[in-house]
Structures are given as C-alpha cells and as structure tokens.
Amino acid sequence: MPQAKTSRVTIQDVAALSGLSICTVSRALRQLPNVSEHARARVNDAAARLGYKASSAASRLAGGSTGSVAIIAPTATAWFFARAVEAAEEVFADGGYDTVLISLRNRPTVQQKLFGDLAGLAQRVDGVLLLNIALGEAEMAALAASGLAVASVGMHDVPWDNVGIDNEDAARAATNHLLGLGHTDLAILAGSETGAPSLVTASERRRGFELALSDHGLTADPDLVVDAGSSIEGGRLAMVELMENRRMPSAIFAGCDETAFGALMALREFGLSAPENVSIMGIDDHQMSWFLGLTTMAQPVADQGAFAASLLIDRLHRSGLPNPPPAGPPSSHLLETKLVERTSTIPR
C-alpha cells in the first residue's frame, strides 16, 4: 500500500530512533510521570538528534480558538476504539486541549446528522480526529468546507494526516501463518462489506485472506466465508452458522480478536475447543487474547491514536501562529503489525 512521504520530523521518527512506543515518547517529551529516567533520556537524545520538538498549545489561545477537539468513532464500546480514544485523549490533554467524544453508534442516521451540521461542530471545536469512519463524497466536501483541522486513524486516500496499519498485509500474514502450519481448509469470520458503514477494515482483511490463499494456489470456499461483524456476539453466531449449517474447517481466521472470542465461546457451547478441534487466530492482540491463548496479529492500537492526535495538534499549532508557515502535504503513516503465536493454533 503506498505511503505518502513527508519531510516533517514526527513523533514516529523519535519512537523509531529511541526504540520506544509512541505513547511512551509522547509522555517523555511532555515531561509527564510514569516514564523511567532511562527511557526519558533515550527519548530526549533521539529528539535532539532529529531536531524534534513537541508542539506547544500556547498558540491556540490566539483569536477564536475553542481549545477543544472532537474524536469521532463508529462506536465508543468496541475495544479498538476505546483504546485509541484513551491514548488520543491523553495526548490532547497533554497539549492543553479538551476533547469531545462523539460516537456514531454504528448508525447511518447519526453520521448523516453530524456531517450535515459541521458548521455547528466548528463552533465547539478546532479540529476532529476520525477513527475508521467511512465517508461519502458529500461528507468529505463538508469537512473540507468546515475549516476544521482533521486527522484520522485507519482511513485511506484522505486529504489529511492519517495513521493506521496495512490491514490487507496483516490479514495476509495471518492466513500465511495458518497455511504454514499445514492448514489448507480455511474459513474466515469477518465483518460484512455491506454491514456497518462506519467500519472500513473488513473488505481489506478479507482481500488479504484471499490473496494469501491465491499465493498457495487455493481459493476461498464460499461456504467458509461467513459475515461476523466485529463483535463477540457476531463471532459466536458466525461460528454457530459454520457448525450447524455449513462445515467445520481445519483452521479459522477471525477478522478481529473479539470475533475470535465469540468463535471460541461457540465451540465451548458445542463441547469443542481450539486447537483440539480447529485452529483459530485473529488480529489485534486484545488485552484478553493472552488470557484465552489466542494466536493473533498484534497491532499498536494506542500508538495509532496517540500518533494521530500529535499530528492534529501539530496542524493546529501551525495554523495558530501569527504568520503560519505553509502547511505540508498530508502524510500517511503505516505502523507495523507482528505475529503473536499462542496456543489456539497448532500444525495440522
């Protein structure tokens, strides 16, 4: 997936050079507690070598600023969004900004109402951080006309700074792991492409699954492609559908860890388990994945929220200067995922 280049030194550059997470770097740069002296020294050294300075929020006090930003999420209850929101809120608070959390509740009508009155939102906040929101052309145009600074997590081909992961690549790697264990009869439980309009990752992960199969001369069995949403209950119902109305594969790739949790629940209801009866893996590295022994592709959720928030603060800082420098082009940053192998998968 192409990645836009930028000459700006970002917090991601400092994190990469120091070998620490973006969240830790953010805390260290802003002189917050709960950072070891050793880590703080590494961050300061990396920042000095790169010439990076954390944006000050003082300039936002110039005429007309509200000192607030909005975080807009498809839902406030899913683990991914809760983690990303918490990390972003901390960075915004460190920068002197209040936050307004807006949940779309996975309802198109809520999204339509919000984007139909962005002028009203612009009276309350200076900028918005979008989390995996699917936008139509009219909504994109409304944002551009609103005067709001914008950054996002998990979106593509957008005219503002974005942070995310390569969902297609992560799903491809997950499927390749199962194939490498000798499983060739694979199912996928993933969000429907025609499901909640505010989720934009499902089709990419499904495409990665299909590409990995194709790499091995295989094709996806339509009976083993089951819509599951991105929830525990969705995963449970999808697994029940497999067992009752379709057939049991040798391995299952779940489009997110919460879907995998639901599949594990369904197996238990039928007196089965993973990996004894079927190998299962997901994507996320949810905090419960370790407890349940779930093999997964880990993604840095908190770092995505924190990094995107820092990029938005940087934009707000620049626009608030008396003679603002020319804004750089929008930047796209893809953070790494990694395989975490646990006990829910075994060789065939």
Side-chain angles (χ1 to χ4, degrees):
M1 188 174 294
Q3 211 171 334
K5 300 296 183 181
T6 175
S7 59
R8 286 185 292 154
V9 177
T10 70
I11 197 171
Q12 183 187 30
D13 300 317
V14 181
L17 185 58
S18 66
L20 299 168
S21 74
I22 291 172
C23 288
T24 298
V25 170
S26 176
R27 294 189 64 83
L29 288 172
R30 301 179 194 282
Q31 303 300 312
L32 295 175
N34 300 321
V35 179
S36 71
E37 289 305 315
H38 176 65
R40 200 180 299 276
R42 287 167 59 184
V43 170
N44 290 338
D45 178 66
R49 290 166 61 185
L50 293 170
Y52 177 85
K53 293 182 179 180
S55 295
S56 166
S59 62
R60 71 174 175 80
L61 299 176
S65 173
T66 67
S68 297
V69 293
I71 303 175
I72 304 175
T75 172
T77 57
W79 172 81
F80 176 94
F81 299 114
R83 286 284 289 147
V85 166
E86 182 178 51
E89 282 187 324
E90 182 173 27
V91 172
F92 286 134
D94 297 345
Y97 286 89
D98 297 323
T99 53
V100 176
L101 175 60
I102 300 174
S103 171
L104 301 180
R105 304 193 293 283
N106 282 330
R107 296 179 185 173
T109 54
V110 176
Q111 181 167 332
Q112 290 163 8
K113 182 177 179 180
L114 175 66
F115 283 86
D117 186 26
L118 287 178
L121 182 63
Q123 293 177 359
R124 301 165 52 202
V125 301
D126 300 325
V128 295
L129 176 61
L130 306 174
L131 305 183
N132 293 65
I133 307 296
L135 297 178
E137 290 184 9
E139 293 168 331
M140 294 277 283
L143 260 182
S146 70
L148 290 164
V150 185
S152 63
V153 169
M155 299 174 69
H156 306 293
D157 301 320
V158 290
W160 51 70
D161 298 324
N162 179 77
V163 181
I165 64 168
D166 189 328
N167 286 292
E168 183 180 297
D169 183 69
R172 198 171 190 170
T175 308
N176 277 326
H177 174 66
L178 295 173
L179 291 166
L181 291 174
H183 299 282
T184 56
D185 189 28
L186 303 182
I188 178 172
L189 312 182
S192 169
E193 295 182 36
T194 57
S198 50
L199 296 175
V200 296
T201 59
S203 61
E204 296 172 15
R205 293 182 181 181
R206 188 169 296 188
R207 186 161 57 247
F209 171 79
E210 294 169 348
L211 287 171
L213 292 178
S214 178
D215 291 341
H216 289 76
L218 303 171
T219 58
D221 182 341
D223 272 350
L224 299 182
V225 177
V226 188
D227 291 342
S230 301
S231 67
I232 294 175
E233 181 61 12
R236 188 187 74 80
L237 292 174
M239 191 71 219
V240 170
E241 168 68 16
L242 267 183
M243 293 186 289
E244 289 190 336
N245 301 318
R246 306 195 189 189
R247 64 182 178 83
M248 180 74 84
S250 71
I252 293 171
F253 166 55
C256 70
D257 283 0
E258 288 183 317
T259 299
F261 298 162
L264 293 171
M265 289 174 58
L267 285 173
R268 186 174 64 181
E269 292 171 9
F270 280 71
L272 305 175
S273 62
E276 287 75 13
N277 302 104
V278 61
S279 287
I280 295 181
M281 74 175 297
I283 288 182
D284 279 337
D285 203 22
H286 187 289
Q287 59 191 15
M288 290 297 294
S289 295
W290 172 84
F291 177 75
L292 295 174
L294 180 68
T295 296
T296 188
M297 292 297 297
Q299 64 166 318
V301 180
D303 277 359
Q304 291 176 67
F307 188 12
S310 73
L311 291 172
L312 184 56
I313 287 178
D314 185 52
R315 292 285 180 180
L316 290 167
H317 169 73
R318 289 167 180 264
S319 65
L321 294 174
N323 296 297
S331 57
S332 177
H333 305 267
L334 297 180
L335 305 189
E336 292 184 357
T337 58
K338 64 178 180 179
L339 174 67
V340 179
E341 193 169 2
R342 298 191 177 102
T343 59
S344 67
T345 53
I346 56 173
R348 181 173 172 80

